[in-house]
Amino acid sequence: MLSAQMTVMYGKFRTSIITIQSCLVSTSLHFYKMENMKIGTKFIHAGAEPDPSTGAIMIPIYQTSTYVQAAPGQHKGFEYARSQNPTRKALEDTLAIIENGKYGLAFSSGVAATDAVVKLLSPGDEVIATNDMYGGTYRLFTKVFEKFGLKFRYVDMRDPANIEAQVNEHTKLIWTETPTNPLMNITDIASVAAIAKKCNALLCVDNTFASPYLQNPLDMGADIVMHSSTKYLGGHSDVIQGALMMNDANLREQLYFIQKSCGAVPGPMDCFLVMRGIKTLHVRMQRHCENGEKIAYFLRNHPAIAEVFWCGFEDHPGYYIAKTQMRGFGGMMSFTLKDNSPANVTKVLSSTRIFSLAESLGGVESLINHPASMTHASIPREERIKNGLADSLIRLSVGIEDAEDLIEDLNNAIGK
Ligand SMILES: Cc1ncc(COP(=O)(O)O)c(C=O)c1O
């Protein structure tokens, strides 16, 4: 009896502490304006309001499919977890902030996020897309959406004039990746945004390779930013997820409608993992950039290497645009060998000990990849060759290990 009374008393006391604490925690962040914060502070604090019921500093994983209503329609803003989930909402707020946008939406994969953007269109509409991009995006466009009456025109976006030449009254979307996967080509985002505006089309930039640490396309006039959060945002190769960020409320409503109607939403655990990843994005990216630079120069000076594709070289055709629109050059690169026989390429791909041969990128660990047979196999060979993607091309996602170990590993694998 006594202990039950004490529990009740403690319960009341605890409730009042929580009430006071939630006032404190919920007001404390309002002293700071996110837009005034430097990038690292922003990545750590974006969307991270302490949980009002307990003060938990990390957003809880709301592992629930539904929410109890007091009476029909009387709820706390959450009805069914395909439409809303508090963990996803915290992540979506974070996504908006890190891309300097007003709205963020999270999807079950990067491809699902791309799929949602294309579903804004109607039969007869046309898309101008970059001719060098992730193979899965090309597959989605050509194999899934073409049969619904959409037309895709692929152009070399290194020169914005090539885009202008393809614009017509049916153009509704311009899709670019910069830097591109895997050739590290650079698109001038501000110039393409001006073209999109002029022809009343949306510009969507796949910002996966750069990450919001290196580049913010919304600031340069893009309408939508897309991420495979699987990569640098998550950062630990333990989650598949996608993201869209935008400024326009009407566009957000349309994309939210597609998100809940088509249902490609991420689970709360995965949202938690991406939120945790974002907190260290700036620190990881600094190291990806440092290691990337060391490895790019090591490869360039290696006698067995024919060509290195990395946008931080001053003689890279997109260097000056990259320097204006990016804060660094990142850890993604690709290269070809002088002996580009399939046997030698296979030997190099199979001989690294620290670089793991695997699809994907952007994790803390270094990965080596063969685009022609792995990430870009879904693009027909003639198309790949036409766009400069050789069968012998090797792609690296340089991780954040010690650069000396990575260089030694590559040196051993490449040989003389
Ligand atoms: C540049 C780029 N965009 C989009 C995607 C697709 O993302 P996801 O694998 O998360 O669906 C990838 C995947 O590798 C990618 O590299």
Side-chain angles (χ1 to χ4, degrees):
M1 181 66 189
L2 187 65
S3 86
Q5 268 176 350
M6 279 178 69
T7 311
V8 172
M9 280 173 62
Y10 172 71
K12 282 187 179 157
F13 177 60
R14 212 171 63 120
T15 310
S16 59
I17 291 178
I18 289 166
T19 313
I20 294 164
Q21 274 179 341
S22 44
C23 289
L24 287 176
V25 290
S26 60
T27 51
S28 61
L29 273 180
H30 294 294
F31 289 120
Y32 300 98
K33 277 216 154 82
M34 280 288 163
E35 58 269 29
N36 296 339
M37 287 180 181
K38 300 229 170 0
I39 203 161
T41 316
K42 201 159 78 169
F43 286 175
I44 290 173
H45 292 284
E49 294 284 345
D51 179 49
S53 61
T54 62
I57 194 160
M58 295 303 299
I59 180 79
I61 299 161
Y62 283 91
Q63 193 72 50
T64 187
S65 61
T66 194
Y67 310 86
V68 176
Q69 308 194 5
Q74 236 185 71
H75 52 76
K76 298 175 176 160
F78 297 92
E79 295 155 282
Y80 184 61
R82 176 161 33 76
S83 309
Q84 312 97 357
N85 176 284
T87 318
R88 195 172 89 221
K89 182 177 182 321
L91 169 65
E92 291 179 336
D93 292 347
T94 305
L95 293 170
I97 292 167
I98 63 173
E99 273 294 4
N100 300 337
K102 289 204 179 103
Y103 309 102
L105 291 169
F107 291 83
S108 55
S109 69
V111 162
T114 306
D115 174 87
V117 175
V118 182
K119 283 176 178 159
L120 291 167
L121 308 178
S122 306
D125 288 347
E126 294 194 8
V127 180
I128 302 178
T130 180
N131 65 356
D132 176 35
M133 62 177 164
Y134 170 57
T137 309
Y138 177 87
R139 180 176 55 201
L140 179 71
F141 289 174
T142 54
K143 296 276 164 44
V144 178
F145 280 113
E146 267 180 11
K147 65 171 181 271
F148 293 109
L150 295 175
K151 183 166 181 176
F152 296 86
R153 297 168 181 267
Y154 299 95
V155 304
D156 180 347
M157 292 199 176
R158 286 175 295 183
D159 182 356
N162 295 338
I163 303 172
E164 238 163 349
Q166 293 292 332
V167 164
N168 64 41
E169 76 270 27
H170 303 295
T171 309
K172 292 287 160 16
L173 174 68
I174 299 179
W175 182 277
T176 193
E177 248 180 57
T178 181
T180 57
N181 179 2
L183 287 168
M184 305 301 298
N185 290 323
I186 300 293
T187 306
D188 180 342
I189 298 173
S191 300
V192 180
I195 297 170
K197 212 138 269 139
K198 214 162 75 187
C199 70
N200 241 339
L202 293 171
L203 170 62
C204 183
V205 178
D206 181 338
N207 202 27
T208 301
F209 262 37
S211 91
Y213 178 73
L214 295 180
Q215 180 171 271
N216 301 114
L218 295 179
D219 292 348
M220 291 170 247
D223 299 288
I224 307 171
V225 170
M226 177 263 157
H227 279 278
S228 166
S229 316
T230 313
K231 311 298 177 345
Y232 288 107
L233 297 188
H236 295 77
S237 309
D238 51 11
V239 65
I240 294 281
Q241 203 175 113
L244 297 177
M245 295 82 153
M246 71 252 36
N247 277 317
D248 184 77
N250 183 34
L251 192 53
R252 188 262 171 204
E253 278 320 297
Q254 291 178 59
L255 288 164
Y256 171 64
F257 179 79
I258 292 167
Q259 184 199 42
K260 77 172 178 191
S261 304
C262 300
V265 290
M269 177 69 196
D270 288 356
C271 293
F272 173 86
L273 286 173
V274 172
M275 280 195 80
R276 186 168 68 166
I278 289 169
K279 286 180 189 295
T280 56
L281 181 63
H282 54 300
V283 185
R284 288 185 283 109
M285 286 309 295
Q286 281 160 14
R287 186 65 167 262
H288 283 297
C289 289
E290 282 166 27
N291 283 358
E293 180 170 357
K294 286 179 189 162
I295 287 173
Y297 280 100
F298 155 76
L299 289 172
R300 180 169 253 203
N301 294 324
H302 195 289
I305 300 294
E307 206 174 350
V308 184
F309 302 89
W310 181 64
C311 60
F313 291 133
E314 280 193 32
D315 56 1
H316 182 286
Y319 175 78
Y320 288 101
I321 293 162
K323 215 170 143 55
T324 24
Q325 66 188 20
M326 297 172 75
R327 299 182 195 94
F329 303 107
M332 292 303 302
M333 66 196 66
S334 50
F335 64 94
T336 50
L337 298 155
K338 280 186 185 151
D339 172 3
N340 66 2
S341 61
N344 193 40
V345 173
T346 304
K347 186 211 87 181
V348 172
L349 285 161
S350 321
S351 321
T352 52
R353 293 288 167 262
I354 298 175
F355 280 84
S356 301
L357 176 62
E359 301 208 6
S360 203
L361 61 108
V364 290
E365 56 285 300
S366 295
L367 299 180
I368 190 165
N369 169 281
H370 182 230
S373 68
M374 296 165 78
T375 45
H376 292 68
S378 50
I379 302 177
R381 185 169 184 273
E382 326 75 79
E383 279 296 309
R384 289 199 310 261
I385 302 291
K386 195 171 81 192
N387 299 327
L389 200 168
D391 285 342
S392 58
L393 190 82
I394 294 176
R395 190 189 78 183
L396 297 180
S397 169
V398 177
I400 64 170
E401 302 94 334
D402 288 292
E404 295 71 19
D405 290 334
L406 297 178
I407 287 173
E408 189 184 337
D409 191 34
L410 288 171
N411 207 25
N412 290 340
I414 294 166
K416 301 253 178 303

